[in-house]
Amino acid sequence: MKLSGFLNKPRWQSKEATVRRAGVAEDDDAELLASLATIARQDADANVRAAAMKRLADPGLTQRLAVEDTDAGVRTEARKLWLDLLAGTHARSPSPAECAR
């Protein structure tokens, strides 16, 4: 790894949770987008997990986090997002056929 690459990590890989959350919520790095599900499940900070979950808006992952996340706030946000996705009121809601599946 080059030294410049080491010093210029993307925001979503920062050690600071607030910087990481902003990167997860806003950046369009292909590696970030591919890692959103893992970040939503495993990041140490609840706010970063919630930001990744909201950005991904995946019904299956959201349902899982609504039950299994260690933080009550993330579980609450996941329940709200899951209901919005299933009700079709969210911009990234799946089709009714996908919801029935």
Side-chain angles (χ1 to χ4, degrees), residues 19-98:
V19 174
R20 211 167 49 249
R21 184 186 54 77
V24 165
E26 301 166 2
D27 294 351
D28 290 324
D29 181 359
E31 188 179 352
L32 164 65
L33 298 176
S35 301
L36 283 174
T38 302
I39 294 169
R41 287 189 312 267
Q42 298 176 359
D43 196 273
D45 186 78
N47 292 322
V48 176
R49 291 194 309 273
M53 172 192 66
K54 289 175 186 176
R55 176 96 184 257
L56 190 58
D58 175 79
L61 174 66
T62 304
Q63 182 183 23
R64 179 177 174 187
L65 293 175
V67 176
E68 296 177 0
D69 196 87
T70 58
D71 184 80
V74 173
R75 289 192 307 269
T76 300
E77 289 297 315
R79 284 185 199 107
K80 289 177 188 176
L81 178 58
W82 185 66
L83 289 174
D84 287 345
L85 288 166
L86 292 182
T89 59
H90 190 276
R92 298 183 72 189
S93 292
S95 68
E98 289 180 43

Side-chain angles (χ1 to χ4, degrees), residues 4-17:
S4 63
F6 178 73
L7 295 175
N8 297 319
K9 281 186 172 183
R11 293 189 306 165
W12 63 275
Q13 292 179 343
S14 174
K15 291 181 181 180
E16 292 291 324

